[in-house]
Amino acid sequence: MIDPVAIGDTGFVAAAYAVILGGTGLYALTLARRLRGARQATTAPASDQPRRSDPPIDPRA
Amino acid sequence: MATRVLGLGALVTVAGATAFALVGVPADLNQGEAQRIMYIHVASAWLAYLSFGVTAAASAWWLVRREPRADAVALAGAEVGVLFTAATIWAGMMWGRPVWGTYWQWEDPRLTTTALLLALYVGYLLIRRLTDEPARRATRAAVVGIVAAIDIPIVHFSVVWWRGLHQGPTFMSPDTILNPPAPGPFVAALLLMLGAFSLAWLWLMVNRYRLARLDWEAEESARRGRLPGLAAAVPAPRP
């Protein structure tokens, strides 16, 4: 159990700013990544062929 | 390009406002260092109000016009609003422990109605996940978005209507805005933080709106079987 008195006022200030700025930054990064993924998904050409990154299909399987 | 400039501007101003609030402004005589939390707490609270106000307005827009972009704006406001409400509560708790002697008090009307506000809009986001049909989802969410907005003035005026731990409003009328009951550097730090957070809020809103629009288009395309790559993945219905 952490004693709040031992943390001191500066600790509470640091905790408030770090969590809020860090959390907002993480949300912004996640949002940017999701937006980039969504854009790539909607601009990908329609195709019934497997992607180049997919492994070749084994006909014996 | 404009959004990138906005994002960079938000990053720089938030960093500057944080540095000013933490080292540029003197500590308060009575509250000491803990008073510095007020800058980020109040800025977050104002932007939470704004976000949910945008959600309510866009929800009404959807119900009247049925435009997908209205639903996208409403969703962006709710999600960003939840982020800033959580930030408000966290900052308040970090300030409350050293100044009030407690992190939280359920008897306080401001604290309790703010927690209710957070719960309402988390509920709004959960309700959106109950159906995959975009129009039905938007209508259900719009009703919740408008009803939940009733709590915004209750939160704001709770410190006037009821007595509790939370202090009364500092900026309540035009007179107190022009003649603030706080030292100039404190007001400058608060306004700087509010401006910086507003830029960040705008960037988040724009990008969340764009993501919601792309998601809507993808869902509509998938429903019609026209999503790129989906036509091959989903077998055609048998005649």
Side-chain angles (χ1 to χ4, degrees):
Chain A
M1 183 69 181
I2 298 171
D3 179 13
V5 177
I7 297 172
D9 289 5
T10 311
F12 285 105
V13 175
Y17 277 82
V19 168
I20 291 172
L21 296 180
T24 307
L26 273 177
Y27 176 70
L29 283 176
T30 308
L31 192 55
R33 195 172 298 158
R34 284 180 63 195
L35 190 58
R36 192 163 55 242
R39 280 181 176 145
Q40 285 172 352
T42 51
T43 55
S47 171
D48 58 355
Q49 296 296 313
R51 294 190 302 269
R52 284 177 181 272
S53 59
D54 290 340
I57 299 170
D58 184 356
R60 293 169 297 178
Chain B
M1 181 63 188
T3 315
R4 285 187 181 180
V5 173
L6 176 65
L8 193 63
L11 201 62
V12 171
T13 50
V14 167
T18 302
F20 186 60
L22 293 181
V23 295
V25 181
D28 183 68
L29 186 64
N30 297 314
Q31 298 180 18
E33 297 292 332
Q35 193 268 342
R36 300 183 192 280
I37 299 174
M38 185 269 292
Y39 307 122
I40 205 166
H41 172 70
V42 175
S44 299
W46 283 356
L47 289 170
Y49 288 163
L50 179 62
S51 303
F52 296 143
V54 166
T55 294
S59 296
W61 178 18
W62 163 263
L63 290 176
V64 174
R65 304 291 292 271
R66 304 274 165 178
E67 292 184 28
R69 56 185 175 162
D71 182 56
V73 172
L75 169 58
E79 196 170 292
V80 174
V82 164
L83 177 77
F84 280 107
T85 306
T88 304
I89 290 174
W90 173 255
M93 288 171 64
M94 291 300 101
W95 179 87
R97 184 61 183 84
V99 177
W100 288 343
T102 181
Y103 290 103
W104 189 268
Q105 193 192 59
W106 283 108
E107 289 78 13
D108 184 85
R110 171 61 72 84
L111 271 58
T112 307
T113 53
T114 306
L116 177 65
L117 191 70
L118 180 67
L120 285 169
Y121 282 92
V122 168
Y124 171 95
L125 295 176
L126 292 176
I127 278 173
R128 296 189 65 93
R129 304 180 74 91
L130 292 179
T131 176
D132 290 333
E133 206 280 301
R136 186 181 302 161
R137 178 181 60 210
T139 303
R140 289 176 181 174
V143 173
V144 177
I146 291 171
V147 172
I150 296 170
D151 193 35
I152 300 171
I154 295 175
V155 171
H156 187 71
F157 290 107
S158 59
V159 291
V160 180
W161 294 340
W162 302 293
R163 273 183 287 181
L165 260 183
H166 200 284
Q167 70 187 66
T170 306
F171 301 102
M172 192 68 178
S173 66
D175 181 58
T176 54
I177 291 172
L178 293 173
N179 303 291
F186 290 10
V187 176
L190 175 61
L191 293 178
L192 186 62
M193 189 65 80
L194 181 64
F197 263 44
S198 297
L199 288 179
W201 175 85
L202 195 59
W203 186 91
L204 293 171
M205 285 291 289
V206 167
N207 283 290
R208 189 63 189 90
Y209 166 80
R210 286 175 174 167
L211 180 61
R213 292 287 286 145
L214 286 171
D215 285 346
W216 180 294
E217 287 169 16
E219 281 175 334
E220 284 294 319
S221 298
R223 278 159 48 80
R224 296 189 207 110
R226 289 196 288 108
L227 186 67
L230 194 72
V234 179
R238 292 183 179 179

